[in-house]
């Protein structure tokens, strides 16, 4: 690999934070910020397609977000519904495979049906795997994987002593994709907030003060630039990594 070229992460995971503050600074309702955030979602998808990133996972609605004021939750549900009606055809044309990740049974049927339809329509696309985490929590994800294994063991299909990190990992969400190489959180907070707890084990973490609606291609390019300068060691020493890398890489 040419060291002048930025390394491209295979999978980027983003906590899109700051919509509410962006709106409040403009004396507008928080839902205005979420609508503006949709434009940044489009920017992120275009960026990943252009950079040939394999997978993009966006945290759109956490299991804790149901506790927000009902007007905000309703506005977000309407926004998701409208976005699905408006964007899926174009995403499909661009070869984007859409998946919704989380406990989908909690959503009302018109929204759930559209989510399922979008997943069916785009299932064979290969240009970019776009995962939208909705009603998702990292602890929920690990618990549901453990439950599936326990059920298989109870049916006598699995020896409990054979359960290890690989078997558990195979039952967590996004197991069909490489784990995120790069985690981005916008909006100035430095936390993971129960997002992809299992999958982020070796991700590089990148935080920016930019509020999500202000995120554009330049902002994402900066994150990639920063990522390309990181030395990823996966528990090894720097010397071991240097020895393992072929000369000139
Ligand atoms: C966090 O900002 C953002 C959310 C909980 C919602 C994210 C939704 C979008 C970006 C809308 C479009 C998404 C799709 C997939 C169509 P916040 O409200 O917590 O902001 P704050 O920290 O400033 O209050």
């Amino acid at each position: 690999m040419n060291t002048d070229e930025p390394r491209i992460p295979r999978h980027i995971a983003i906590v899109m934070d700051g919509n509410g503050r962006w709106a409040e600074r403009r004396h507008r309702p928080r839902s205005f910020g979420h609508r503006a955030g949709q434009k940044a979602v489009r920017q992120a998808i275009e960026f990943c397609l252009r950079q040939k990133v394999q997978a993009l996972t966006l945290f759109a609605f956490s299991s804790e977000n149901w506790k927000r004021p009902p007007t905000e939750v309703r506005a977000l549900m309407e926004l998701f519904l409208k976005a699905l009606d408006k964007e899926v055809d174009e995403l499909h044309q661009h070869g984007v495979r859409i998946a919704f990740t989380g406990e989908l049974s909690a959503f009302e049927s018109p929204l759930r049906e559209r989510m399922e339809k979008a997943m069916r329509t785009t299932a064979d696309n290969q240009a970019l795997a776009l995962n939208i985490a909705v009603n998702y929590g990292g602890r929920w994800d690990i618990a549901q994987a453990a439950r599936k294994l326990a059920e298989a063991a109870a049916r006598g299909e699995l020896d409990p002593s054979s359960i290890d990190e690989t078997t558990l990992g195979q039952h967590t969400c996004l197991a069909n994709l490489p784990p995120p190489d790069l985690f981005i959180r916008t909006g100035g907070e430095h936390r993971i907030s129960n997002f992809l707890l299992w999958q982020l084990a070796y991700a590089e973490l990148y935080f920016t003060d930019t509020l999500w609606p202000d995120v554009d291609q330049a902002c994402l390019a900066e994150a990639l630039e920063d990522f390309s300068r990181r030395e990823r060691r996966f528990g090894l020493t720097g010397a071991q990594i240097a020895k393992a890398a072929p000369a000139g890489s």
Side-chain angles (χ1 to χ4, degrees):
M1 193 198 292
N2 178 349
T3 45
D4 295 337
E5 267 177 42
R7 281 181 296 146
I8 302 298
R10 290 166 303 173
H11 185 168
I12 301 178
I14 308 184
V15 173
M16 311 181 283
D17 198 14
N19 293 348
R21 278 165 287 161
W22 187 91
E24 279 156 18
R25 283 178 197 175
R26 288 161 179 77
H27 309 288
R28 302 294 297 268
R30 295 174 58 82
S31 56
F32 182 70
H34 296 314
R35 279 202 300 281
Q38 203 184 326
K39 291 199 195 86
V41 169
R42 219 172 290 137
Q43 292 269 321
I45 295 169
E46 279 174 29
F47 180 81
C48 288
L49 282 167
R50 195 167 299 152
Q51 296 291 338
K52 304 218 174 339
V53 171
Q54 279 179 45
L56 171 66
T57 300
L58 301 173
F59 206 2
F61 194 83
S62 75
S63 2
E64 291 77 31
N65 285 154
W66 294 109
K67 295 180 204 139
R68 290 192 173 199
T71 47
E72 184 174 345
V73 172
R74 220 171 11 253
L76 273 167
M77 295 302 137
E78 277 168 23
L79 182 66
F80 294 149
L81 204 62
K82 281 196 188 136
L84 278 165
D85 285 343
K86 194 162 159 249
E87 311 282 358
V88 171
D89 286 348
E90 198 184 330
L91 292 172
H92 185 37
Q93 280 163 25
H94 283 89
V96 175
R97 184 169 75 248
I98 305 171
F100 289 90
T101 306
E103 182 55 272
L104 303 190
S105 61
F107 294 102
E108 286 179 5
S109 50
L111 182 54
R112 210 175 57 237
E113 281 158 18
R114 278 182 184 72
M115 287 175 180
E116 280 157 4
K117 184 160 175 248
M119 291 195 271
R120 274 197 311 275
T121 308
T122 63
D124 295 328
N125 291 344
Q126 296 294 331
L128 172 69
L130 171 65
N131 308 297
I132 305 183
V134 281
N135 194 23
Y136 176 86
R139 290 177 176 174
W140 164 83
D141 190 356
I142 295 167
Q144 65 82 30
R147 190 165 53 243
K148 280 185 195 150
L149 291 174
E151 284 166 358
R155 287 194 303 269
E157 294 164 9
L158 179 74
D159 174 1
S161 69
S162 73
I163 297 173
D164 59 12
E165 291 179 24
T166 306
T167 39
L168 187 72
Q170 281 163 348
H171 290 80
T172 57
C173 295
L174 312 182
N176 57 326
L177 294 168
D181 298 304
L182 174 62
F183 163 92
I184 300 174
R185 183 178 185 134
T186 65
E189 309 288 0
H190 292 194
R191 14 173 213 269
I192 292 179
S193 297
N194 199 19
F195 188 38
L196 300 175
L197 295 179
W198 180 275
Q199 297 84 344
L200 290 174
Y202 288 102
E204 294 296 325
L205 309 182
Y206 179 84
F207 300 96
T208 169
D209 289 339
T210 306
L211 302 177
W212 177 251
D214 290 328
V215 167
D216 58 11
Q217 312 260 334
C219 178
L220 296 167
E222 265 175 49
L224 239 61
E225 186 60 40
D226 186 89
F227 173 79
S228 72
R229 288 194 297 269
R230 306 275 179 100
E231 182 191 52
R232 305 187 75 202
R233 293 209 290 267
F234 301 98
L236 304 180
T237 67
Q240 283 175 304
I241 295 288
K243 203 170 161 200
S249 71

